[in-house]
Amino acid sequence: TILILDFGSQYSHLITRRCRELNVYAELMPCTQKMQDLNFKPKGIILSGSPYSVYDQDAPRVDPAVFDMGVPILGICYGLQEMAWNLKGKVTKCDHREYGFAQLQISMIGSGDEPADALFEGLGDEMQVWMSHGDQLSEMPENFHIIGKTKTAPYAAIAHNSKPFYGIQFHPEVTHSPRGKEVIGRFVLNICKCRANWTMEEFIGKEIARIRQICGPKGRVIGAVSGGVDSTVAAKLMHEAIGDRFHAIMVDNGVLRKNEAQQVHDMLNRDLGVNLTVVDASELFLSRLADVEDPEKKRKIIGNTFINVFEDEAAKIEAAAELEAAGGAAPKGKIEWLLQGTLYPDVIESISFKGPSATIKTHHNVGGLLKDMKLKLIEPLRELFKDEVRALGRLLSIPAPLVQRHPFPGPGLAIRILGPVTREQVKILQHADSIYIEEIRAAGLYEQISQAFAVLLPVKAVGVMGDKRTYEQVIALRAVQSEDFMTADWFVFPAEVLRRISSRITNEVEGINRVTYDISSKPPATVEWL
Ligand code: XMP
């Protein structure tokens, strides 16, 4: 395991991902983690970047014991500065904050044909790197030497003379440093000597054994499925582990995509054999949503109604089992566990040393279920990033189109209908959205886009059809590319694809006479409109 200590940089989770992509298990912990409290011995430690300056009063500080752990350490950006600060170097403010590309000159050991330092071994004598810092090292810490510099940063990369301690000012974890992943690879594989054995093949076996052990021979588990990648993969994994002792519930809340409930049923139950109940609660949801426009209210209503419906259904499943037992069937164990498809980014979000980040939108999940149901939580995906969940899904024979599916928010189309949510409005949006996605798939663009969807605007515009004037609603199309949805860029479509989508929507969807394309990035916009 590589331990990554997070000082609050927006890129910290990317360091973790890059290690995992190299098949090395890495765990992110807040920088305040005390070394004596660790319940494992890391093979190496990476100190992340940070928005702070080491001289700030409230600057996050690392436990000085990290430097006595006897394992290799790599400090990135602030991590370098924090290391230097601890080891008697000097850090000063740059004249200008440096942000962007730089050319790193790699110093060769000795001269002539000598190799570079182990951190840059085989990477040539120059590489493009990405910088983002306001402070930089101005005096070397004791017993360190330079292994790389840029025009503006004479100490852009340093190494200890005898210990495996390294510091780099640039960010190897971002894709703007094209060979950054190789630098991280040199550190975790060559310097820390980690074995590259973190693969989903190994994970499946271990996780199934772990689930069987926690649930015991009789324990029963329920869980909600949504049709998304995470809940589907989690459900299939549970099914592999404990078969029909896992019971999945899909709640049709009336604001799903077109034919979604049916498709989820066919795939999970018919094709994958998962024990599944689909509950059509659309009436209840839509009646509670009537006349509600405020997005946060919509989210609350959907979250709470979901809990009501799910609990009722779980009680029915329990009652049915009791009835069977009364009729002489072998008694089933009680439902003791609730499956949740929590992923590692959710875990990271809650471990930050600053506490969970500010809520911009309340993202609804089923966490609220636990309070009343007294169920224990089982979270088989909590160590995984999304790309790992997808790899796991492929190994579990989940069909490729589902594994690659764009995320879909819990409150569904209710937050994509900007005005009041009615059955008619849902139908219009479902239709437009399905055409949009169909055309994106037909153009072979689906996998280049991180998330695409249609939004139904509550405004009407004038149009003309045949020789009649129309006065109908407007659809906005959204498509973004994003690594983690914290930031996102709008997707540049070929014009003919947009033309085809627009023409199909205005021709085929009754009630729509105009289509617009959203060209806002996040920030300052968000991905969803509500
Ligand atoms: P925003 O709009 O916050 O979206 O930029 C970022 C990602 O989060 C999804 N999203 C939600 N997911 N419940 C969810 O489960 C929600 O209430 C919710 N709001 C936004 C959004 O689809 C995007 O992937």
Side-chain angles (χ1 to χ4, degrees):
T1 302
I2 291 286
L3 170 62
I4 295 159
L5 291 174
D6 172 34
F7 292 85
S9 152
Q10 62 179 119
Y11 304 132
S12 300
H13 67 287
L14 291 179
I15 310 173
T16 324
R17 277 185 62 171
R18 296 298 167 255
C19 293
R20 303 265 193 105
E21 285 165 11
L22 293 157
N23 301 115
V24 171
Y25 185 66
E27 223 175 285
L28 189 71
M29 290 188 164
C31 57
T32 46
Q33 174 68 41
K34 289 269 171 282
M35 291 304 107
Q36 63 188 38
D37 299 338
L38 276 184
N39 57 5
F40 64 95
K41 170 130 168 79
K43 291 196 92 170
I45 298 175
I46 300 180
L47 311 177
S48 85
S50 174
Y52 289 88
S53 160
V54 285
Y55 292 113
D56 287 344
Q57 280 276 305
D58 53 349
R61 291 269 96 99
V62 73
D63 177 359
V66 295
F67 302 104
D68 301 323
M69 296 277 285
V71 298
I73 300 177
L74 172 65
I76 296 176
C77 196
Y78 181 93
L80 155 69
Q81 295 158 15
E82 173 69 5
M83 179 153 74
W85 165 276
N86 273 274
L87 304 177
K88 306 198 179 66
K90 206 167 164 196
V91 175
T92 44
K93 275 227 160 335
C94 307
D95 297 339
H96 304 285
R97 200 186 149 72
E98 189 178 12
Y99 185 82
F101 292 108
Q103 236 9 67
L104 181 77
Q105 312 280 333
I106 294 172
S107 322
M108 298 297 139
I109 297 172
S111 58
D113 297 333
E114 298 288 332
D117 184 274
L119 191 65
F120 299 134
E121 200 183 322
L123 297 179
D125 47 18
E126 210 177 84
M127 72 175 144
Q128 183 189 308
V129 295
W130 176 261
M131 299 279 215
S132 170
H133 60 112
D135 290 355
Q136 70 179 20
L137 195 61
S138 56
E139 227 170 78
M140 290 280 253
E142 277 171 16
N143 298 317
F144 273 76
H145 59 276
I146 298 173
I147 57 170
K149 56 182 182 227
T150 68
K151 254 199 198 123
T152 52
Y155 307 111
I158 61 169
H160 193 278
N161 297 341
S162 54
K163 296 180 187 169
F165 291 175
Y166 297 87
I168 50 183
Q169 187 57 66
F170 61 93
H171 286 275
E173 68 276 26
V174 303
T175 49
H176 300 312
S177 295
R179 305 196 74 177
K181 189 165 146 185
E182 292 172 79
V183 174
I184 295 176
R186 296 294 183 278
F187 181 70
V188 300
L189 297 170
N190 302 359
I191 296 169
C192 301
K193 307 224 175 333
C194 290
R195 279 191 302 140
N197 59 359
W198 170 253
T199 62
M200 287 304 107
E201 282 89 347
E202 296 230 347
F203 177 84
I204 289 188
K206 279 195 214 143
E207 192 55 26
I208 288 180
R210 195 184 73 98
I211 295 169
R212 285 184 181 151
Q213 207 205 348
I214 335 188
C215 297
K218 285 201 141 182
R220 289 166 73 208
V221 181
I222 49 168
V225 290
S226 65
V229 187
D230 309 341
S231 64
T232 305
V233 172
K236 176 67 175 148
L237 191 61
M238 289 308 294
H239 179 73
E240 294 279 311
I242 60 168
D244 276 355
R245 285 190 287 133
F246 169 65
H247 201 129
I249 299 172
M250 158 113 191
V251 177
D252 181 349
N253 58 14
V255 283
L256 300 175
R257 282 173 289 206
K258 195 173 162 187
N259 298 332
E260 183 128 54
Q262 187 61 45
Q263 282 168 7
V264 171
H265 174 269
D266 290 353
M267 193 254 317
L268 263 184
N269 187 263
R270 191 190 63 194
D271 304 341
L272 298 177
V274 174
N275 193 5
L276 169 78
T277 306
V278 178
V279 193
D280 179 1
S282 54
E283 266 319 310
L284 179 65
F285 278 88
L286 290 173
S287 66
R288 290 192 185 173
L289 283 168
D291 304 319
V292 180
E293 287 197 33
D294 177 62
E296 290 303 297
K297 274 197 192 132
K298 286 179 177 174
R299 283 189 169 84
K300 249 204 187 93
I301 290 171
I302 291 176
N304 292 339
T305 309
F306 179 87
I307 291 172
N308 300 154
V309 173
F310 187 89
E311 283 180 348
D312 282 356
E313 203 51 44
K316 279 186 205 158
I317 292 170
E318 193 83 294
E322 278 167 22
L323 210 65
E324 279 174 32
K332 290 181 177 163
K334 266 207 151 342
I335 298 174
E336 280 179 78
W337 301 89
L338 176 70
L339 170 70
Q340 271 201 296
T342 316
L343 300 195
Y344 200 51
D346 311 324
V347 178
I348 290 176
E349 171 102 344
S350 58
I351 62 160
S352 159
F353 70 93
K354 294 173 294 187
S357 59
T359 309
I360 298 169
K361 300 178 190 184
T362 53
H363 286 198
H364 138 80
N365 63 37
V366 292
L369 281 171
L370 282 172
K371 280 197 252 30
D372 301 330
M373 297 185 71
K374 301 189 183 71
L375 293 174
K376 290 174 274 183
L377 203 57
I378 188 160
E379 299 175 303
L381 311 180
R382 63 175 285 123
E383 287 177 343
L384 308 185
F385 283 107
K386 193 83 174 190
D387 46 344
E388 294 173 325
V389 175
R390 293 203 161 109
L392 183 60
R394 282 188 281 271
L395 286 175
L396 289 168
S397 319
I398 293 170
L402 190 125
V403 168
Q404 286 309 334
R405 203 145 180 202
H406 295 169
F408 185 67
L413 301 183
I415 55 165
R416 294 176 180 172
I417 294 172
L418 268 45
V421 181
T422 63
R423 226 176 245 284
E424 292 65 41
Q425 293 280 282
V426 171
K427 242 178 124 175
I428 292 176
L429 182 55
Q430 280 178 333
H431 192 178
D433 190 70
S434 72
I435 292 173
Y436 183 37
I437 300 299
E438 202 177 298
E439 288 299 331
I440 288 176
R441 283 198 189 274
L445 298 173
Y446 190 82
E447 276 158 37
Q448 289 175 41
I449 299 172
S450 310
Q451 197 173 10
F453 53 89
V455 177
L456 183 58
L457 306 187
V459 288
K460 286 188 165 186
V462 172
V464 57
M465 187 155 239
D467 40 32
K468 269 221 232 52
R469 175 186 183 278
T470 60
Y471 186 52
E472 296 177 327
Q473 270 178 285
V474 182
I475 281 283
L477 304 175
R478 182 92 166 120
V480 295
Q481 284 176 313
S482 172
E483 186 141 5
D484 54 10
F485 295 99
M486 301 291 283
T487 61
D489 281 326
W490 56 276
F491 181 71
V492 181
F493 274 107
E496 67 273 15
V497 178
L498 282 179
R499 195 185 329 268
R500 197 160 47 243
I501 294 165
S502 158
S503 127
R504 278 198 61 195
I505 292 177
T506 46
N507 280 306
E508 296 174 32
V509 183
E510 220 167 298
I512 300 297
N513 65 3
R514 204 173 278 260
V515 174
T516 65
Y517 185 56
D518 180 355
I519 50 167
S520 334
S521 53
K522 172 182 180 174
T526 52
V527 175
E528 302 287 346
W529 278 45
L530 289 182

